[in-house]
mmCIF file of all heavy atoms in Angstrom:
data_model
loop_
_atom_site.group_PDB
_atom_site.id
_atom_site.type_symbol
_atom_site.label_atom_id
_atom_site.label_comp_id
_atom_site.label_asym_id
_atom_site.label_seq_id
_atom_site.Cartn_x
_atom_site.Cartn_y
_atom_site.Cartn_z
ATOM 1 N N GLN A 192 5.577 -11.933 -5.117
ATOM 2 C CA GLN A 192 6.243 -11.741 -3.860
ATOM 3 C C GLN A 192 6.197 -13.052 -3.050
ATOM 4 O O GLN A 192 5.157 -13.745 -3.042
ATOM 5 C CB GLN A 192 5.531 -10.617 -3.109
ATOM 6 C CG GLN A 192 6.240 -10.096 -1.875
ATOM 7 C CD GLN A 192 5.472 -8.966 -1.150
ATOM 8 O OE1 GLN A 192 4.206 -8.780 -1.500
ATOM 9 N NE2 GLN A 192 6.029 -8.205 -0.269
ATOM 10 N N HIS A 193 7.248 -13.281 -2.285
ATOM 11 C CA HIS A 193 7.364 -14.519 -1.513
ATOM 12 C C HIS A 193 8.202 -14.303 -0.221
ATOM 13 O O HIS A 193 8.917 -13.328 -0.071
ATOM 14 C CB HIS A 193 8.042 -15.606 -2.390
ATOM 15 C CG HIS A 193 9.439 -15.250 -2.850
ATOM 16 N ND1 HIS A 193 10.528 -15.546 -2.063
ATOM 17 C CD2 HIS A 193 9.837 -14.607 -3.843
ATOM 18 C CE1 HIS A 193 11.608 -15.128 -2.738
ATOM 19 N NE2 HIS A 193 11.244 -14.529 -3.824
ATOM 20 N N ASP A 194 8.043 -15.274 0.668
ATOM 21 C CA ASP A 194 8.857 -15.342 1.929
ATOM 22 C C ASP A 194 10.253 -15.431 1.604
ATOM 23 O O ASP A 194 10.620 -16.156 0.596
ATOM 24 C CB ASP A 194 8.373 -16.409 2.857
ATOM 25 C CG ASP A 194 6.989 -16.131 3.435
ATOM 26 O OD1 ASP A 194 6.462 -15.010 3.230
ATOM 27 O OD2 ASP A 194 6.451 -17.028 4.059
ATOM 28 N N GLU A 195 11.160 -14.903 2.392
ATOM 29 C CA GLU A 195 12.523 -14.937 2.152
ATOM 30 C C GLU A 195 13.071 -16.359 2.150
ATOM 31 O O GLU A 195 14.121 -16.675 1.456
ATOM 32 C CB GLU A 195 13.239 -14.022 3.181
ATOM 33 C CG GLU A 195 14.756 -13.886 2.841
ATOM 34 C CD GLU A 195 15.392 -12.728 3.628
ATOM 35 O OE1 GLU A 195 14.650 -12.161 4.572
ATOM 36 O OE2 GLU A 195 16.492 -12.302 3.336
ATOM 37 N N ALA A 196 12.414 -17.282 2.863
ATOM 38 C CA ALA A 196 12.857 -18.586 3.039
ATOM 39 C C ALA A 196 12.656 -19.445 1.720
ATOM 40 O O ALA A 196 13.307 -20.491 1.551
ATOM 41 C CB ALA A 196 12.224 -19.305 4.195
ATOM 42 N N LEU A 197 11.846 -18.994 0.856
ATOM 43 C CA LEU A 197 11.522 -19.736 -0.388
ATOM 44 C C LEU A 197 12.571 -19.500 -1.432
ATOM 45 O O LEU A 197 12.851 -18.376 -1.741
ATOM 46 C CB LEU A 197 10.122 -19.447 -0.888
ATOM 47 C CG LEU A 197 8.886 -19.966 -0.032
ATOM 48 C CD1 LEU A 197 7.654 -19.508 -0.735
ATOM 49 C CD2 LEU A 197 8.988 -21.403 0.074
ATOM 50 N N SER A 198 12.991 -20.572 -2.081
ATOM 51 C CA SER A 198 13.893 -20.439 -3.246
ATOM 52 C C SER A 198 13.064 -20.242 -4.546
ATOM 53 O O SER A 198 11.803 -20.442 -4.521
ATOM 54 C CB SER A 198 14.747 -21.719 -3.395
ATOM 55 O OG SER A 198 13.903 -22.846 -3.745
ATOM 56 N N THR A 199 13.685 -19.911 -5.598
ATOM 57 C CA THR A 199 12.992 -19.722 -6.912
ATOM 58 C C THR A 199 12.363 -21.013 -7.345
ATOM 59 O O THR A 199 11.215 -21.012 -7.830
ATOM 60 C CB THR A 199 13.955 -19.179 -7.936
ATOM 61 O OG1 THR A 199 14.508 -17.922 -7.543
ATOM 62 C CG2 THR A 199 13.244 -19.015 -9.222
ATOM 63 N N ASP A 200 13.039 -22.153 -7.102
ATOM 64 C CA ASP A 200 12.517 -23.398 -7.534
ATOM 65 C C ASP A 200 11.214 -23.705 -6.692
ATOM 66 O O ASP A 200 10.207 -24.265 -7.278
ATOM 67 C CB ASP A 200 13.507 -24.567 -7.296
ATOM 68 C CG ASP A 200 14.683 -24.424 -8.328
ATOM 69 O OD1 ASP A 200 14.407 -23.884 -9.379
ATOM 70 O OD2 ASP A 200 15.708 -25.086 -8.110
ATOM 71 N N GLU A 201 11.232 -23.378 -5.357
ATOM 72 C CA GLU A 201 10.097 -23.636 -4.578
ATOM 73 C C GLU A 201 8.931 -22.778 -5.004
ATOM 74 O O GLU A 201 7.800 -23.220 -5.071
ATOM 75 C CB GLU A 201 10.370 -23.433 -3.126
ATOM 76 C CG GLU A 201 11.302 -24.514 -2.510
ATOM 77 C CD GLU A 201 11.851 -24.195 -1.176
ATOM 78 O OE1 GLU A 201 12.138 -22.948 -0.907
ATOM 79 O OE2 GLU A 201 11.976 -25.111 -0.308
ATOM 80 N N VAL A 202 9.157 -21.478 -5.374
ATOM 81 C CA VAL A 202 8.068 -20.601 -5.834
ATOM 82 C C VAL A 202 7.558 -21.179 -7.100
ATOM 83 O O VAL A 202 6.326 -21.186 -7.380
ATOM 84 C CB VAL A 202 8.606 -19.190 -5.994
ATOM 85 C CG1 VAL A 202 7.551 -18.307 -6.677
ATOM 86 C CG2 VAL A 202 9.086 -18.566 -4.723
ATOM 87 N N THR A 203 8.470 -21.596 -7.975
ATOM 88 C CA THR A 203 7.967 -22.207 -9.267
ATOM 89 C C THR A 203 7.055 -23.421 -9.054
ATOM 90 O O THR A 203 6.032 -23.562 -9.736
ATOM 91 C CB THR A 203 9.211 -22.629 -10.108
ATOM 92 O OG1 THR A 203 9.996 -21.459 -10.463
ATOM 93 C CG2 THR A 203 8.809 -23.278 -11.432
#
Side-chain angles (χ1 to χ4, degrees):
Q192 189 181 14
H193 59 89
D194 290 352
E195 192 162 11
L197 289 180
S198 68
T199 301
D200 287 343
E201 289 171 323
V202 173
T203 298

